[in-house]
Amino acid sequence: MSRSRYLLVIFAVVLSGHYILSFTSDGYGRATSLSRLTSPSQNRVPEEYNTRPKTELDMLQRRANATFVMLARNSDLDMAVRSIRRMEDRFNTRHHYPYVLLNDEPFTDEFKRRVSAVVSSEVQYGQVPREHWVQPEWIDEDRATKGRDQLVAENVIYGGSVSYRNMCRFNSGFFFRHPLMQNYRWYWRIEPDVHFHCDINFDPFLFMQDREKVYGFTITMYEFDKTIPTLWGHVKDFIRLHPEYVAKDNAMNFMSDDGGETYNRCHFWSNFEIADMNFWRGPAYTDFFEYLDSKGGFYYERWGDAPVHSIAAGIFARKDQIQFFEEIGYEHNPYTHCPKDPVMWERGRCGCNPEGSFDYDGYSCMRQWDRLMGN
Ligand SMILES: Nc1nc2c(ncn2[C@@H]2O[C@H](COP(=O)(O)OP(=O)(O)O)[C@@H](O)[C@H]2O)c(=O)[nH]1
Ligand SMILES: *[C@@H]1O[C@H](CO)[C@@H](O)[C@H](O)[C@H]1NC(C)=O
Ligand SMILES: [Mg+2]
């Protein structure tokens, strides 16, 4: 064998070796055998969104017009710091998205100092204007009191709380109107004391922006019927008044088992949300919120922002604009979503137990979601 021929053979062997290696690697720089054991989940975010091996410089080149948002009380400080620290460790030290923290009272200096210490980006602290928070004047207080007393008698969680109702109404119709939120289109809602159990190796904002998504969730479940006895009737009335807002190919069959006649109480758990504020700021949701608000159900009953947001996304958006983020391991007491797909679980270096995932718990609405998406 001549020397040049010999070198050619070596070259060919090295090349084919490299080819085989890259063929079996998982695209995240690690060889994996798991990917051959399972068919890919339909929910998996494509690998082109993988940001992990890139440099900081790459990251800075493409970022969405987005922020984290957390509503918190000063007394939530320890838990707020924990949530944000977890978000930083699992995602944001590679992305540096800013945070907006909102409170119906002024944040204390101690609160600001502790939160600012854990973030790798900018934080802004805002106070909610009174008119976005307190029970409106025109609410019939006698009727509201009766409503609260009844839910207390029925042992409904937060049944007697006015501040909880203020919070739900604020999250339904006002957070995206706060002056600090005006600077952004996309947000990721986090709450004090939530957990992110897996590395988030992609940018959910860019994914949603590129794919024209409007709403992303990780956990879905049934709402308590006692908190929303009249809500669906008002929704149907609104649809009759405004058929022009109803999207084709919407997610109605996720929320209703009889073509829209009754609500099956399925909703996305809104303590986790990644969504497009243009959707909430647009004409359909603006009119929808105003209509619902005028019925007083945030106070006479105990309408949550979760069913209100979910129903709106389910009717005014196409179903393919709603994203189940299977790979984002997430926990808000008492429920955890943990990726069941072994590839997602391994890539995310998840600390959660997939066997304990809420997805197919009896109280979960993933079955209805799968039915809708044809999974
Ligand atoms: N500033 C402020 N934040 C509140 C108030 N009530 C609830 N929150 C926040 O609203 C979110 C939801 O409240 P939470 O108590 O976690 O309700 P749950 O998740 O439905 O049990 C959390 O981010 C809380 O910190 C309040 O009265 N003032
Ligand atoms: C971000 O979005 C907001 C709201 O849509 C908009 O007002 C603002 O100009 C955007 N900023 C950038 C840099 O695109
Ligand atoms: Mg909570």
Side-chain angles (χ1 to χ4, degrees):
M1 206 187 271
S2 78
R3 188 175 152 79
S4 61
R5 179 96 179 267
Y6 175 76
L7 281 177
L8 204 67
V9 168
I10 296 284
F11 182 67
V13 166
V14 168
L15 201 69
S16 58
H18 176 80
Y19 188 71
I20 290 163
L21 269 181
S22 53
F23 197 70
T24 53
S25 103
D26 62 358
Y28 286 66
R30 279 182 303 164
T32 178
S33 53
L34 276 172
S35 56
R36 274 178 273 116
L37 296 179
T38 169
S39 58
S41 162
Q42 292 185 25
N43 298 311
R44 197 184 295 166
V45 168
E47 292 188 5
E48 68 201 75
Y49 286 90
N50 174 20
T51 51
R52 189 167 253 305
K54 293 185 187 161
T55 63
E56 290 255 320
L57 209 64
D58 286 333
M59 222 70 66
L60 294 173
Q61 281 170 358
R62 202 164 163 247
R63 212 159 59 151
N65 185 355
T67 183
F68 295 105
V69 62
M70 180 190 280
L71 178 71
R73 293 158 287 220
N74 285 308
S75 58
D76 292 321
L77 174 56
D78 285 357
M79 296 306 170
V81 167
R82 278 190 209 182
S83 291
I84 292 171
R85 180 73 253 177
R86 289 165 182 147
M87 177 56 88
E88 288 292 315
D89 292 345
R90 289 302 200 168
F91 174 75
N92 205 42
T93 48
R94 295 187 295 282
H95 297 271
H96 312 297
Y97 280 105
Y99 292 78
V100 171
L101 276 89
L102 299 176
N103 189 348
D104 59 309
E105 292 180 357
F107 280 114
T108 62
D109 289 343
E110 172 70 356
F111 192 103
K112 294 184 205 172
R113 192 178 69 87
R114 294 263 314 273
V115 169
S116 296
V118 294
V119 307
S120 64
S121 55
E122 194 196 351
V123 195
Q124 290 180 293
Y125 301 90
Q127 189 172 352
V128 174
R130 220 184 117 73
E131 64 274 19
H132 288 182
W133 187 264
V134 296
Q135 181 174 309
E137 287 296 325
W138 52 263
I139 291 285
D140 174 350
E141 179 50 34
D142 288 345
R143 197 177 152 195
T145 306
K146 283 204 191 84
R148 292 196 302 274
D149 291 347
Q150 188 183 333
L151 292 194
V152 170
E154 292 173 332
N155 277 318
V156 172
I157 185 169
Y158 305 118
S161 172
V162 175
S163 70
Y164 192 84
R165 287 171 169 80
N166 293 342
M167 179 275 288
C168 289
R169 179 169 173 267
F170 171 76
N171 277 326
S172 298
F174 296 97
F175 81 94
F176 52 89
R177 303 191 209 179
H178 191 278
L180 293 178
M181 298 299 284
Q182 296 303 318
N183 301 326
Y184 305 103
R185 173 171 172 190
W186 302 90
Y187 70 98
W188 186 333
R189 173 171 161 187
I190 50 183
E191 283 196 0
D193 199 27
V194 296
H195 304 245
F196 297 94
H197 286 300
C198 310
D199 287 354
I200 300 158
N201 293 317
F202 65 100
D203 183 333
F205 295 123
L206 289 180
F207 171 75
M208 291 187 64
Q209 182 178 297
D210 292 352
R211 307 279 162 130
E212 294 178 15
K213 306 270 181 185
V214 301
Y215 194 90
F217 71 96
T218 51
I219 291 177
T220 167
M221 68 177 69
Y222 295 100
E223 178 58 297
F224 304 114
D225 49 1
K226 293 191 172 82
T227 65
I228 50 161
T230 69
L231 176 61
W232 194 254
H234 295 308
V235 169
K236 288 197 292 186
D237 291 345
F238 182 81
I239 292 174
R240 258 176 244 123
L241 285 169
H242 286 289
E244 75 276 16
Y245 290 147
V246 177
K248 269 177 94 178
D249 295 323
N250 61 30
M252 179 59 89
N253 290 335
F254 164 69
M255 302 181 294
S256 176
D257 303 325
D258 51 18
E261 189 47 36
T262 59
Y263 182 35
N264 63 16
R265 297 182 287 115
C266 285
H267 67 294
F268 309 120
W269 219 21
S270 61
N271 47 69
F272 175 107
E273 282 184 330
I274 306 176
D276 183 352
M277 285 185 279
N278 281 357
F279 183 71
W280 308 133
R281 290 167 181 153
Y285 189 76
T286 302
D287 288 353
F288 182 66
F289 173 75
E290 247 170 56
Y291 185 85
L292 293 184
D293 195 33
S294 74
K295 304 299 172 190
F298 288 104
Y299 293 96
Y300 301 140
E301 298 177 6
R302 206 217 67 193
W303 296 350
D305 52 287
V308 170
H309 279 185
S310 304
I311 291 169
I315 295 173
F316 309 133
R318 301 187 310 268
K319 64 180 180 184
D320 63 275
Q321 292 181 297
I322 305 176
Q323 175 71 19
F324 168 48
F325 279 115
E326 185 171 353
E327 47 273 271
I328 301 183
Y330 175 73
E331 176 177 352
H332 175 298
N333 187 46
Y335 299 123
T336 301
H337 162 70
C338 189
K340 282 215 186 259
D341 176 328
V343 175
M344 289 184 189
W345 187 83
E346 192 191 64
R347 281 179 187 171
R349 303 193 302 135
C350 299
C352 53
N353 178 2
E355 299 304 316
S357 190
F358 181 68
D359 298 10
Y360 296 100
D361 185 281
Y363 206 60
S364 165
C365 278
M366 275 314 284
R367 285 172 221 83
Q368 288 83 347
W369 182 253
D370 288 344
R371 176 183 73 190
L372 175 78
M373 303 308 277
N375 291 344

